[in-house]
Amino acid sequence: MRGFDRINAVLPDELILEIFRHVESKPSRDACSLVCKRWLGLERLSRDTIRIGASATPDSLVKLLSSRFPNIRYVFIDERLSISLPVQYGKRRRISRTAPSIGRFHDGSDQSVAGDDGIATSCLSDSGLAAVGGSFIKLEKLSLIWCSSITDQGLRSFAEKCKSLKSLDLQGCYIGDEGLAAVGECCNFLEDLNLRFCEGLTDTGLVRLVLGCGRTLRSLGVAACAKISDVSLEAVGSHCRYLESLSLDSEIIHNKGLLAVAKGCSLLKVLKLQCINITDEALQAVGVFCLSLELLALYSFQKFTDRSLSAIGKGCKKLKNLTLSDCYFLSNKGLDSVAAGCPELMHIEVNGCHNIGTDGLKSIGKFCARLSELALLYCQRIESDALSEIGKGCKFLQALHLVDCSGIGDDSICSIAKGCKNLKKLHIRRCYEVGNKGIIAVGQHCRSLRDLSLRFCDRIGDDALISIGQGCSLHHLNVSGCHQIGDAGIIAIARGCPQLSYLDVSVLQNLGDNAMMELGEGCPLLKDVVISHCRQITDIGVSYLARKCTLLESCHMVYCPGITEAGVATMVTTCSRIKKVLVEKWKVSARTKRRAGSIINYLCVDL
């Protein structure tokens, strides 16, 4: 019978709520809430997370959201982001029923409205923060990203009302010691704290917080806090016995602070350091005392040597993830010590460590059989036979990233292709010795490959992509700057990769409309396309792509002389799901701007 409700009459509330909890995307949840009044109410009950950007009246918005969504546990407020407002709040303040759309962000300037006192009201105030604590009674996690108007008083008011808080992110908030101390006094269940760019804090505030909730703290991040010194880390080492994750970025922290953490926080699993004054002494202590360490990331270290990595290799047998970035005094010996001593390593990134070369990579291939991801960036001393050992020993490798490694060529890629047949992601950028031979081997052997990026590899041409199209079903492809690639290669991808959702073919001078037509026919799931600097693509190709790829959400097409106002208009009017079009300003007609101005972005407004 027409109009008979076969769902609501049978399904109980509990089952519908459980279904809603498995719907992750906001548009889908919004669609569910429009089905009927019952689903609207249940969908509101099922939401546990909201994200708020810069709006004209954030304080009122908080109160409105809390009344609509009573079971919120996670609140994210990021004032770097702007949201689309359905009305101008400054002109129609009396209509309080109108709610801004939640979580719908777009690239653009913050939409703020000046209040009666002339001060912009697009920032969350202390009273708004207090409302967050008082309104969301089940709140467990709060992120305040660059909320510049929050003060110690507001943070104290919030802490007093939200004593069950478990996670707090204060990135970019200029709060002081009194506010942080209030969190320590009131939030005795706090587990996760992020203090990046909190320039108003000193040791006094962090020490007082640690004294209050150090026994529950599991994760701590401190970065660009110029007044946080070793004194704070000594307090952490003394009172945070169960700390599992520590991230430090500081120019004034020395060995004394890290030594205290290493000795006092023996359960530490994650350690990320960018501290130029820490030396071997402190890192050797990490290897001796932090035996549960699983992730170690060292950035821009100038005062430690292979002795540190030797200690890590001897003590941290559970290490799974290692990142070494701009560590100039490390050599093959240090990497060999970690590879031999940490057999559970699964992720290794070496970035700009100029003294690490072929022998270090050979050790990884020899000892790290469980390796699943390897990233080598700006490693000029690594030669082709290094990856040969990786291909022989790391059979479970799934992701390989190579950037500016001039010694790596086709033989290396062939070894990886033949030995690592489970490879799913391959990213190569500016490796000028890699050509068709290596990529053809990937197409022949790596049937599970889904993500391929070959940026500015001048020797790669159509033959390589033909092999990929025949052997792999890609979801993501980036061949930006590979000048030898033309229509034949992209047509092969279009015919062989129907699941393709992302494509970047920018700066391909030999690519034309024929390839765009084939993509329209063969890749109906395409969502993001970058065709900038493609001089032979015209309005015809763009029109075909827009009509056939009905799921298209973004298109970058700057510096394409064959694309005119008509092509831009076709793209924004034909694609019903389009959210972003990047183009020169002079190619947007007044009519197009009126119809789709919110989705059009300009690379250079003066062109």
Side-chain angles (χ1 to χ4, degrees):
M1 181 184 298
R2 184 177 181 181
F4 181 73
D5 190 343
R6 298 180 181 273
I7 297 178
N8 283 325
V10 178
L11 297 182
D13 289 352
E14 293 78 12
L15 185 55
I16 296 178
L17 283 170
E18 185 62 28
I19 293 172
F20 285 165
R21 292 189 181 100
H22 287 79
V23 179
E24 296 182 355
S25 70
K26 182 182 179 299
S28 298
R29 294 185 70 100
D30 290 342
C32 290
S33 68
L34 296 175
V35 172
C36 62
K37 289 184 177 180
R38 183 191 180 202
W39 283 31
L40 174 63
L42 292 175
E43 196 278 329
R44 288 178 175 179
L45 290 176
S46 69
R47 290 214 187 195
D48 61 2
T49 303
I50 58 172
R51 292 175 172 84
I52 304 173
S55 64
T57 56
D59 294 358
S60 300
L61 183 59
V62 165
K63 296 176 182 178
L64 178 62
L65 292 173
S66 64
S67 65
R68 293 193 174 187
F69 306 107
N71 294 322
I72 294 297
R73 297 179 183 273
Y74 313 111
V75 174
F76 300 86
I77 303 176
D78 189 343
E79 293 188 354
R80 299 172 302 176
L81 303 174
S82 60
I83 64 173
S84 301
L85 298 178
V87 296
Q88 291 295 329
Y89 268 47
K91 297 181 180 179
R92 300 182 62 185
R93 297 185 182 218
R94 66 181 183 275
I95 306 179
S96 60
R97 297 188 305 272
T98 306
S101 53
I102 306 163
R104 294 185 60 186
F105 302 107
H106 63 84
D107 295 328
S109 60
D110 292 348
Q111 301 183 31
S112 60
V113 179
D116 295 336
D117 55 0
I119 301 175
T121 59
S122 62
C123 298
L124 186 72
S125 67
D126 285 343
S127 60
L129 182 57
V132 171
S135 303
F136 298 108
I137 58 177
K138 297 182 180 181
L139 189 64
E140 295 180 359
K141 183 174 183 178
L142 175 65
S143 291
L144 300 173
I145 310 299
W146 296 99
C147 294
S148 56
S149 296
I150 299 300
T151 68
D152 289 345
Q153 182 179 356
L155 194 56
R156 173 172 286 278
S157 299
F158 166 80
E160 291 173 347
K161 296 178 180 180
C162 194
K163 296 186 177 182
S164 61
L165 191 70
K166 293 183 178 180
S167 177
L168 180 61
D169 188 345
L170 296 173
Q171 178 176 326
C173 297
Y174 198 84
I175 52 99
D177 295 333
E178 292 301 321
L180 198 60
V183 173
E185 295 170 8
C186 302
C187 304
N188 299 134
F189 299 98
L190 192 67
E191 297 178 358
D192 184 3
L193 178 64
N194 182 23
L195 300 175
R196 291 176 59 84
F197 304 106
C198 295
E199 299 177 355
L201 288 177
T202 70
D203 288 324
T204 302
L206 187 51
V207 169
R208 290 175 63 183
L209 177 131
V210 165
L211 292 174
C213 58
R215 62 182 179 83
T216 62
L217 203 61
R218 298 291 186 273
S219 175
L220 175 63
V222 179
C225 299
K227 299 175 184 178
I228 299 293
S229 69
D230 292 327
V231 174
S232 294
L233 291 190
E234 288 179 301
V236 170
S238 299
H239 299 280
C240 303
R241 299 293 181 181
Y242 300 102
L243 192 71
E244 296 180 355
S245 176
L246 177 64
S247 177
L248 293 176
D249 181 354
S250 173
E251 296 182 356
I252 64 173
I253 289 177
H254 296 75
N255 286 342
K256 188 177 181 181
L258 187 58
L259 280 169
V261 171
K263 293 176 181 178
C265 306
S266 59
L267 299 179
L268 202 65
K269 294 181 180 180
V270 176
L271 181 61
K272 300 178 181 180
L273 299 175
Q274 186 167 345
C275 305
I276 60 175
N277 290 311
I278 288 179
T279 67
D280 285 331
E281 180 186 3
L283 287 170
Q284 285 173 321
V286 171
V288 172
F289 296 104
C290 302
L291 304 184
S292 299
L293 196 67
E294 296 180 2
L295 185 151
L296 177 64
L298 304 174
Y299 302 94
S300 303
F301 271 73
Q302 302 175 9
K303 294 186 178 180
F304 80 97
T305 66
D306 292 330
R307 291 196 298 271
S308 297
L309 288 191
S310 179
I312 296 295
K314 290 178 181 178
C316 304
K317 300 299 182 180
K318 297 180 180 180
L319 194 68
K320 297 179 180 180
N321 191 313
L322 176 66
T323 298
L324 304 173
S325 179
D326 295 325
C327 301
Y328 304 120
F329 295 103
L330 292 182
S331 68
N332 293 326
K333 182 179 179 181
L335 192 57
D336 178 76
S337 299
V338 173
C342 305
E344 296 187 17
L345 272 171
M346 300 179 65
H347 172 100
I348 297 177
E349 177 180 334
V350 181
N351 183 349
C353 302
H354 303 305
N355 289 319
I356 292 179
T358 302
D359 292 340
L361 266 293
K362 287 183 177 180
S363 298
I364 293 175
K366 182 178 180 181
F367 297 110
C368 302
R370 300 183 182 182
L371 193 69
S372 63
E373 185 168 9
L374 175 63
L376 304 174
L377 294 78
Y378 311 103
C379 298
Q380 303 298 327
R381 296 194 177 187
I382 294 178
E383 300 174 355
S384 283
D385 53 343
L387 288 188
S388 299
E389 292 297 325
I390 298 293
K392 294 176 182 178
C394 303
K395 301 297 183 181
F396 300 102
L397 191 71
Q398 295 186 11
L400 177 63
H401 307 261
L402 303 172
V403 177
D404 275 353
C405 297
S406 58
I408 292 178
D410 282 334
D411 292 340
S412 301
I413 305 302
C414 287
S415 298
I416 292 293
K418 294 176 182 178
C420 308
K421 296 185 178 182
N422 294 317
L423 198 68
K424 296 181 179 180
K425 178 187 291 187
L426 177 61
H427 285 196
I428 303 176
R429 187 175 72 191
R430 291 197 299 267
C431 294
Y432 301 118
E433 296 302 315
V434 176
N436 286 334
K437 179 182 176 182
I439 305 305
I440 288 174
V442 171
Q444 292 172 344
H445 298 284
C446 302
R447 302 293 183 178
S448 299
L449 193 70
R450 296 294 179 265
D451 187 344
L452 177 63
S453 178
L454 306 169
R455 298 180 60 191
F456 298 97
C457 296
D458 292 340
R459 297 179 61 231
I460 293 175
D462 288 331
D463 291 343
L465 288 196
I466 290 173
S467 176
I468 294 294
Q470 293 173 348
C472 309
S473 181
L474 294 182
H475 295 177
H476 295 256
L477 175 64
N478 187 336
V479 288
S480 173
C482 297
H483 302 296
Q484 294 190 33
I485 292 177
D487 283 347
I490 300 303
I491 289 173
I493 293 295
R495 294 175 178 177
C497 303
Q499 301 295 317
L500 195 70
S501 63
Y502 176 89
L503 176 66
D504 186 342
V505 290
S506 54
V507 206
L508 298 191
Q509 304 300 327
N510 298 319
L511 194 67
D513 291 335
N514 289 335
M516 296 298 103
M517 294 179 183
E518 290 286 345
L519 286 170
E521 293 289 347
C523 302
L525 302 182
L526 206 58
K527 291 184 177 181
D528 303 286
V529 176
V530 182
I531 56 176
S532 299
H533 296 272
C534 292
R535 304 185 65 84
Q536 295 188 32
I537 295 178
T538 70
D539 291 343
I540 298 174
V542 169
S543 175
Y544 209 89
L545 199 65
R547 284 187 285 110
K548 295 293 184 177
C549 297
T550 58
L551 300 180
L552 204 62
E553 294 182 356
S554 74
C555 181
H556 293 199
M557 46 185 181
V558 296
Y559 305 128
C560 298
I563 299 176
T564 67
E565 286 186 3
V568 176
T570 300
M571 177 62 67
V572 300
T573 56
T574 305
C575 299
S576 60
R577 295 174 179 259
I578 200 74
K579 297 178 182 178
K580 180 179 180 180
V581 174
L582 185 65
V583 69
E584 298 96 324
K585 187 174 183 179
W586 62 270
K587 288 185 180 180
V588 181
S589 67
R591 182 180 181 186
T592 300
K593 189 173 183 179
R594 285 195 305 271
R595 298 183 64 179
S598 63
I599 65 173
I600 297 176
N601 293 256
Y602 307 112
L603 182 65
C604 181
V605 296
D606 294 328
L607 288 178

